[in-house]
Amino acid sequence: MYRLFAISAIALIMISSCSQGPGTMNVKGVLENGAGETVYLQLFDDSAPADSAVIAQDGSFQISLRNPKLDFFKLSVGEQGRPVVLVFDSTQTNINITGDASGLLGSYSVSGSKDSELLKEFFDATEIFRYEMDSINKLVQGLPNDMDPVIRMALQQQQTKRKNELETELKQMAINNASSPAALSIISAVDIRNALPEYKTVSDSLKTVIPYSPYLTSMSDKIQQMDMALAQQKKQQAALAKLSPGSQAPDIDLQTPDGKFVSLSSMKGKYVLIDFWASWCGPCRRENPNVVKLYQKYGGKDFEILGVSLDSNKDRWIGAIEKDGLEWEHVSDLKKWNSKAAADYGVRSIPFTVLVDREGKVVATKLRGKALEDKLSEIFGA
């Protein structure tokens, strides 16, 4: 979980402020079991230490920085020690750190910087979660193979419940401290799909605090991308809702390989299987022999197939039709996933089929293999 904490913090190292208030900031404290060791303080993204100090015999140390800009820093004992993450600027005079030098990350406490204190609270919450998950994992791994699966499932459900609780806790922590740069680190530990409103609140709150932060810009872009994805998902769901049995299937009017326009509406009077596929789609190509067999069996009984390709390369499209022996009508606008027909039908993966009746109304969707064979047998007889 430290890795989660560190990654979230690393994502924020670009945060900076245009103003640098005058003054000196002191990072000082007392570290047990560290006399003679060196304490390093550096910007999180800087390979060279910003400053260092040797821990005195009584455990005390002090590092002074002149006019530090608002940024994330890391403090470690020894160059290889696991660092404590801090955030501060020159408006804060004294940052106090205490802990055990032999295990600083797991023992430290901080005062004098509300942002750093908040990061500590975040770290503690994630460390407790990591410990609990490790404990449950050990229990699961120690279960005999013949153990009642109900017990195993109960432990897995406990993990899921605890994960949801942590996400709720972190979201609330970020909202309660939305104007703190530390909130970026906190909310970044939660999947944006589960916390879009909280991401937006933090982003909006920090626009006046760190307006020139590249990471804040990156977060805004991420939010925009998620908004677009949700809008697209909503559009696809609306399209799929139109494909409920008995509903009128959207018309399709696209070109065949030889440039002739063929529409779904022109096939009224027959049952039509609309088959969304592509030459590059492995599962589609593996399903084609089954579709060929069914077409050969029912093609003369008021049954037709309209192949709608999501290809972008015409030669490959035609080559696949010929190689697989697909002797029914084929159309495409060669726009791959941007195909209008795919959008109208809410197609998110292929193969995807829609069976319509003689009136062009939906009978069923996603029929493949035996399910398709059984449905055609039901309609036309064995």
Side-chain angles (χ1 to χ4, degrees):
M1 188 52 68
Y2 170 74
R3 184 171 180 271
L4 170 65
F5 176 73
I7 289 174
S8 297
I10 289 171
L12 306 176
I13 59 178
M14 296 180 288
I15 292 176
S16 60
S17 173
C18 283
S19 61
Q20 297 184 18
T24 299
M25 188 205 63
N26 301 310
V27 179
K28 59 184 180 178
V30 176
L31 301 179
E32 299 176 357
N33 303 314
E37 296 281 351
T38 301
V39 177
Y40 293 95
L41 179 67
Q42 62 185 119
L43 285 169
F44 213 105
D45 63 342
D46 195 345
S47 58
D51 209 337
S52 63
V54 176
I55 302 174
Q57 288 299 315
D58 63 358
S60 63
F61 76 95
Q62 178 171 318
I63 299 174
S64 298
L65 296 180
R66 181 70 177 172
N67 298 329
K69 65 180 180 180
L70 177 61
D71 216 326
F72 281 73
F73 293 78
K74 55 184 177 181
L75 181 84
S76 63
V77 178
E79 294 185 86
Q80 303 302 318
R82 294 175 68 190
V84 167
V85 181
L86 307 168
V87 56
F88 45 68
D89 62 20
S90 59
T91 63
Q92 298 155 343
T93 306
N94 294 300
I95 310 297
N96 297 293
I97 306 288
T98 60
D100 189 328
S102 62
L104 182 60
L105 184 62
S107 65
Y108 85 98
S109 62
V110 58
S111 61
S113 165
K114 290 184 178 180
D115 294 322
S116 298
E117 292 168 19
L118 183 57
L119 282 177
K120 167 63 173 170
E121 183 182 349
F122 164 55
F123 176 71
D124 286 345
T126 54
E127 278 294 282
I128 292 172
F129 173 76
R130 181 194 63 79
Y131 176 79
E132 292 175 347
M133 292 301 100
D134 285 349
S135 298
I136 295 175
N137 284 333
K138 288 177 181 177
L139 283 174
V140 172
Q141 293 169 5
L143 292 176
N145 293 332
D146 59 352
M147 176 61 69
D148 187 343
V150 174
I151 296 177
R152 192 181 300 274
M153 184 179 297
L155 290 172
Q156 292 170 342
Q157 289 174 342
Q158 185 177 345
Q159 285 183 312
T160 300
K161 179 175 179 291
R162 186 64 187 91
K163 178 179 179 293
N164 292 338
E165 289 174 348
L166 176 67
E167 286 197 341
T168 299
E169 180 182 352
L170 295 183
K171 287 191 288 187
Q172 192 60 54
M173 189 184 299
I175 290 298
N176 291 345
N177 302 277
S179 60
S180 166
L184 283 172
S185 183
I186 296 167
I187 201 61
S188 294
V190 182
D191 191 326
I192 190 172
R193 293 172 296 182
N194 301 330
L196 183 57
E198 289 80 8
Y199 268 75
K200 290 181 177 180
T201 297
V202 170
S203 178
D204 291 342
S205 298
L206 288 174
K207 285 177 181 177
T208 57
V209 179
I210 46 173
Y212 303 102
S213 163
Y215 179 71
L216 188 59
T217 299
S218 177
M219 174 174 275
S220 297
D221 291 342
K222 188 176 182 180
I223 290 170
Q224 184 178 20
Q225 291 170 5
M226 181 56 61
D227 279 336
M228 291 174 62
L230 289 174
Q232 180 64 21
Q233 184 181 55
K234 186 176 181 180
K235 185 177 179 181
Q236 290 171 333
Q237 289 172 343
L240 288 173
K242 296 178 182 178
L243 300 181
S244 58
S247 60
Q248 193 71 36
D251 197 15
I252 296 172
D253 189 15
L254 296 173
Q255 287 181 296
T256 63
D258 59 9
K260 179 182 67 174
F261 278 90
V262 171
S263 65
L264 174 63
S265 56
S266 69
M267 297 180 174
K268 275 191 176 181
K270 292 184 177 183
Y271 279 86
V272 180
L273 180 71
I274 307 168
D275 183 18
F276 288 91
W277 73 295
S279 65
W280 45 261
C281 169
C284 303
R285 303 293 295 275
R286 289 192 290 273
E287 175 68 9
N288 278 342
N290 180 60
V291 182
V292 168
K293 181 184 70 173
L294 294 174
Y295 186 68
Q296 291 172 344
K297 183 175 182 179
Y298 297 109
K301 299 181 180 180
D302 295 328
F303 174 64
E304 190 54 77
I305 298 176
L306 179 62
V308 182
S309 170
L310 300 191
D311 275 286
S312 58
N313 185 297
K314 186 175 182 179
D315 290 338
R316 291 179 182 174
W317 173 36
I318 295 173
I321 293 172
E322 294 175 349
K323 184 175 182 179
D324 292 1
L326 313 181
E327 298 179 350
W328 47 84
E329 290 282 13
H330 292 273
V331 296
S332 179
D333 52 15
L334 297 176
K335 293 182 179 179
K336 211 168 181 178
W337 292 107
N338 292 321
S339 166
K340 181 180 184 303
D344 289 343
Y345 279 75
V347 178
R348 301 180 66 182
S349 62
I350 52 176
F352 180 81
T353 60
V354 180
L355 181 64
V356 301
D357 64 15
R358 295 182 179 91
E359 299 300 320
K361 294 182 178 180
V362 175
V363 175
T365 61
K366 301 181 181 179
L367 293 174
R368 295 172 59 186
K370 191 173 186 305
L372 176 59
E373 184 176 357
D374 289 346
K375 177 57 70 173
L376 294 180
S377 176
E378 175 188 324
I379 294 171
F380 300 113

